[in-house]
Amino acid sequence: MCGIVGYIGNKKAEPILIEGLTKLEYRGYDSAGLTILEKENFKTIKNKGRVKQLSEITSQENLVGTIGIAHTRWATHGKPSSTNSHPHNDSSNTFSIVHNGIIENYQELRKFLGENGYQFLSETDTEVIPNLIHYYFSKENEHSENTFLKAVNIATKDLKGSFAIGVLCTHFPDIMIAVRKDSPLVIGKGDGENFISSDIPAYLSFTHQFYFLKDNEFAVISKDSIDFYDTQLTKINKEISQIDWDATSAEKNGYEDFMLKEIYEQPNSIRETIGNHLSLNTPCQFDELNFSKEFLSQIHKIYIVACGTAMYAGLTAKTMLENICEINTEVDVASEFRYRNPLINKNTLCIFITQSGETADTIAALKLAKSKGATTLAVSNVEGSSITREADFVTYTHAGPEIAVASTKAYTSQITLLGILVIYFAETLGKNTKILEDMKKSILELPAKTEQLLSDITEIKNFAHEVYQVKDVFFLGRGLDYNSSVEGSLKLKEISYIHSEAFYSGELKHGPIALIEKDTLVVSVLTVQDLMDKSISNIQEVITRGAKTLIITDKILENSNFTKIIKVPETNQFLTPILSIIPLQLFAYYISKEKGLDVDKPRNLAKSVTVE
Ligand code: M6R
């Protein structure tokens, strides 16, 4: 959601800003714009539509300035339009800002500023910010870099809500100021040039050194320096982080789309996730956790909290935790958990799963759990992301940057890491179960099995071609297979816009079967041996009513009357969701391609949901 970039250095800012915006396109947006500061004047250009269209305009403008900010907007307050796009400048064109987040009290501030002579051009919440900065700046007798910072500081104290902001001022063409609260912002350190951006991939081809701002910290950035301040405007020191992501890992590398590339990266991303955590014949290692037997023994309840795909990964972790560690575990959607007063005490462990580490509801849920005395553990893919600064403990999936809105490799890495975590808990607790050795062996085999699965995808691709015009698809599953069904259904609806729902197979007769008619497509995942006969009976019931069926299974199903069977390799029962989902990712992908849709940037969706 909304992408911010900023550049200050010796080079022309415009192409660097456009490059940064292009790298952030995956976040989802409907308009884009930039401000270049040239000869103490702003050149602000904004446009509804794609970054490419913006760049067609800006490239005609001969913009030579070496400092600028830019933005991709995902509309919240006010429709997508060039007026509502960012950057927004104050009424006197002294300050230009880009903003990610939501200003909840903007109407009150707008009224106050209106009474003080400020005029507004847009319908956005954001436009109050440059005007408020101007209001405080104009109250100062002297104008220096300090008063610029002071005005930004006082203005942000008036803001309720979330914000990541980059600010330029015409009086100070050699600096930009950045500040954040509850919205992501990173600062890239270059050589004679510096950057701001919402996310690391924007400037990986320029630098691998990043600073991460905490809530309400300010950065004053020139081409040769970055100074940090707290809310009292006392200078603070911050550590720089070296991010080892490969710049090309955020490129398509010859694939048509990021989603397809990320599906194919899974053998390697799973390998990276396993990392040094697991090997045969030695206990699993999590140096970043170092949980003792005493600590884990007093955990009576685990909550797994997340959104979307990350929450579905949590469903599989629940089954593993309850069956292997015998710890009562609940999985919750973060947006519900944060408002439902969950029963939490010091014997509760709350695990928050988030690829981006920036999901607003998941972060808020973590803050709630912490305030109630729980131990909090974040499972994230992005180093230095907001959640990693809030949690008591953090462990990383190391799946590499995931750019496509539809999550694929992050999901399989999340289940892999959670599986290893469960083994680690079980070993630490002294559970002597035979299943641990089998799980370890099976996890180590996952990269090869994933590779095998991806080596020939013709069948699923052809099936997608046959059925892509369907209007409704229902997914069925029991136990762990249900987890793959909900995730498969989410993948399909988000990138193909086909109506799709997942049900527990056993619930079919309690309502959903009424929807089945001739040629309805029903997808079913069949791997859980103990539930196989029951699940097959449910599928027969939909076939009897005329449904077409796609079956994902690791078993040999002979003499069946299913429309299509896709076979996946066998693995330990708890790990089956990792392999079952891959054909369903491809199914969603190829249906979307058949329909000619933008696979990586589906309508209305954003990669990081940084607002509620
Ligand atoms: O970054 P997070 O893992 O916290 O994101 C959670 C969901 O927004 C995300 O998984 C979403 O459901 C995906 N678009 C699904 O493909």
Side-chain angles (χ1 to χ4, degrees):
M1 262 173 185
C2 298
I4 289 178
V5 292
Y7 173 78
I8 182 162
N10 292 319
K11 301 179 193 133
K12 276 192 196 177
E14 183 259 336
I16 297 174
L17 294 174
I18 294 288
E19 180 174 340
L21 287 187
T22 308
K23 294 268 169 57
L24 293 185
E25 279 192 300
Y26 71 88
R27 297 171 69 85
Y29 71 102
D30 39 57
S31 51
L34 57 71
T35 290
I36 305 285
L37 179 47
E38 274 182 18
K39 297 195 190 124
E40 299 182 18
N41 277 311
F42 290 141
K43 296 222 168 142
T44 301
I45 301 169
K46 317 197 279 189
N47 190 52
K48 183 180 159 194
R50 312 311 286 177
V51 173
K52 191 162 178 303
Q53 291 163 285
L54 176 73
S55 91
E56 280 160 14
I57 305 168
T58 57
S59 60
Q60 303 297 314
E61 293 287 324
N62 190 27
L63 299 166
V64 292
T66 59
I67 171 170
I69 49 178
H71 189 269
T72 45
R73 173 173 185 256
W74 191 88
T76 57
H77 297 65
K79 61 183 181 305
S81 71
S82 59
T83 313
N84 287 335
S85 314
H86 300 211
H88 287 285
N89 302 347
D90 72 292
S91 304
S92 71
N93 268 320
T94 310
F95 295 95
S96 187
I97 76 142
V98 282
H99 164 228
N100 175 9
I102 287 182
I103 306 306
E104 289 163 6
N105 58 337
Y106 80 102
Q107 273 167 327
E108 191 187 303
L109 293 170
R110 213 170 153 118
K111 184 163 174 283
F112 166 78
L113 288 162
E115 286 162 2
N116 282 277
Y118 289 87
Q119 280 158 7
F120 294 90
L121 305 174
S122 76
E123 303 157 272
T124 64
D125 54 335
T126 299
E127 203 181 353
V128 296
I129 307 172
N131 286 302
L132 204 55
I133 296 172
H134 181 270
Y135 173 79
Y136 287 116
F137 186 73
S138 58
K139 294 220 164 307
E140 299 289 331
N141 295 328
E142 275 185 31
H143 287 161
S144 64
E145 285 185 9
N146 254 352
T147 46
F148 176 18
L149 175 61
K150 197 170 154 197
V152 176
N153 179 28
I154 305 173
T156 52
K157 284 185 178 154
D158 286 350
L159 304 179
K160 291 199 180 114
S162 56
F163 51 82
I165 304 170
V167 196
L168 300 180
C169 176
T170 48
H171 296 304
F172 308 106
D174 299 325
I175 57 167
M176 76 170 73
I177 293 181
V179 55
R180 71 176 286 267
K181 180 185 159 275
D182 294 333
S183 281
L185 193 68
V186 300
I187 298 169
K189 183 183 177 316
D191 188 8
E193 57 186 1
N194 290 311
F195 310 84
I196 62 169
S197 67
S198 298
D199 206 350
I200 294 164
Y203 287 121
L204 269 181
S205 50
F206 291 85
T207 181
H208 285 261
Q209 296 199 294
F210 290 88
Y211 290 106
F212 300 104
L213 287 181
K214 285 195 189 140
D215 277 358
N216 297 309
E217 284 181 348
F218 296 80
V220 178
I221 307 161
S222 75
K223 68 184 174 58
D224 297 310
S225 64
I226 307 172
D227 294 320
F228 298 100
Y229 298 87
D230 64 13
T231 41
Q232 309 303 314
L233 298 189
T234 308
K235 227 176 186 178
I236 49 173
N237 287 325
K238 289 193 76 69
E239 268 183 33
I240 200 155
S241 303
Q242 175 74 26
I243 301 295
D244 290 329
W245 285 353
D246 180 356
T248 61
S249 61
E251 309 281 346
K252 285 189 197 155
N253 288 350
Y255 285 91
E256 245 177 273
D257 311 273
F258 279 111
M259 182 178 175
L260 190 63
K261 172 179 171 252
E262 287 157 9
I263 290 173
Y264 272 93
E265 277 174 348
Q266 289 176 106
N268 200 42
S269 51
I270 292 173
R271 201 172 286 122
E272 291 294 322
T273 300
I274 298 169
N276 297 327
H277 291 305
L278 180 145
S279 53
L280 290 178
N281 310 319
T282 52
C284 288
Q285 298 293 323
F286 277 87
D287 295 342
E288 62 274 41
L289 307 183
N290 222 352
F291 289 162
S292 64
K293 183 172 183 181
E294 292 64 43
F295 169 73
L296 285 175
S297 309
Q298 50 90 37
I299 296 296
H300 298 159
K301 174 82 178 257
I302 296 180
Y303 282 104
I304 299 178
V305 185
C307 300
T309 289
M311 193 269 290
Y312 295 148
L315 295 178
T316 298
K318 168 190 160 80
T319 306
M320 295 193 277
L321 280 163
E322 292 195 330
N323 283 274
I324 300 170
C325 299
E326 296 168 288
I327 306 177
N328 189 334
T329 304
E330 251 182 74
V331 181
D332 238 311
V333 173
S335 54
E336 290 296 312
F337 180 87
R338 65 183 287 196
Y339 294 118
R340 75 166 177 85
N341 198 16
L343 295 174
I344 288 175
N345 58 34
K346 63 179 177 29
N347 300 113
T348 314
L349 172 65
C350 293
I351 303 177
F352 299 86
I353 311 170
T354 165
Q355 186 285 129
S356 62
E358 301 293 351
T359 302
D361 281 322
T362 310
I363 295 172
L366 185 145
K367 287 180 181 167
L368 173 86
K370 220 170 153 182
S371 73
K372 285 175 166 264
T375 302
T376 56
L377 163 60
V379 176
S380 179
N381 192 38
V382 181
E383 274 181 55
S385 56
S386 300
I387 205 158
T388 66
R389 290 189 295 273
E390 301 287 344
D392 297 317
F393 297 94
V394 182
T395 184
Y396 290 101
T397 39
H398 293 300
E402 189 180 69
I403 308 291
V405 164
S407 186
T408 53
K409 64 175 181 172
Y411 173 75
T412 48
S413 279
Q414 282 159 352
I415 304 180
T416 304
L417 188 68
L418 291 161
I420 304 172
L421 195 70
V422 169
I423 302 174
Y424 167 72
F425 282 11
E427 287 175 338
T428 309
L429 285 166
K431 306 255 173 215
N432 189 10
T433 59
K434 216 175 122 247
I435 200 158
L436 298 184
E437 280 317 303
D438 186 62
M439 264 185 86
K440 281 183 169 183
K441 192 170 143 287
S442 303
I443 289 174
L444 291 170
E445 287 168 358
L446 281 173
K449 289 191 173 167
T450 315
E451 219 156 73
Q452 179 194 337
L453 194 48
L454 287 165
S455 65
D456 184 3
I457 59 155
T458 335
E459 280 194 286
I460 194 73
K461 187 175 174 180
N462 290 346
F463 190 69
H465 174 70
E466 265 174 52
V467 299
Y468 76 95
Q469 281 165 323
V470 288
K471 295 278 174 276
D472 307 282
V473 182
F474 300 106
F475 285 71
L476 296 179
R478 286 173 183 261
L480 290 159
D481 291 335
Y482 171 76
N483 306 350
S484 306
S485 297
V486 271
E487 171 57 7
S489 169
L490 175 64
K491 281 298 83 87
L492 184 66
K493 64 167 81 80
E494 71 178 329
I495 61 167
S496 76
Y497 317 148
I498 291 175
H499 166 240
S500 136
E501 289 182 62
F503 302 108
Y504 290 106
S505 307
E507 276 290 289
L508 203 57
K509 290 201 217 36
H510 300 281
I513 200 163
L515 296 167
I516 306 298
E517 54 190 20
K518 187 167 179 306
D519 291 338
T520 305
L521 181 59
V522 175
V523 180
S524 188
V525 183
L526 290 178
T527 67
V528 182
Q529 184 61 53
D530 297 347
L531 302 172
M532 190 66 64
D533 293 344
K534 291 181 197 305
S535 295
I536 290 179
S537 302
N538 295 130
I539 302 165
Q540 293 307 336
E541 286 157 8
V542 299
I543 291 175
T544 306
R545 285 155 183 86
K548 282 187 183 162
T549 50
L550 166 64
I551 309 296
I552 311 296
T553 184
D554 58 357
K555 312 283 183 293
I556 309 279
L557 301 176
E558 275 161 4
N559 304 326
S560 64
N561 52 353
F562 306 133
T563 316
K564 184 84 212 160
I565 299 173
I566 301 288
K567 176 90 173 55
V568 295
E570 279 187 297
T571 183
N572 176 284
Q573 57 164 329
F574 293 114
L575 305 172
T576 52
I578 297 174
L579 299 178
S580 307
I581 199 60
I582 292 175
L584 295 178
Q585 295 169 343
L586 288 161
F587 182 59
Y589 173 83
Y590 282 111
I591 290 216
S592 177
K593 290 302 278 186
E594 289 285 352
K595 294 182 79 177
L597 300 172
D598 185 342
V599 178
D600 286 338
K601 297 186 283 293
R603 70 183 179 201
N604 305 337
L605 291 176
K607 181 67 180 164
S608 303
V609 184
T610 52
V611 293
E612 232 187 307

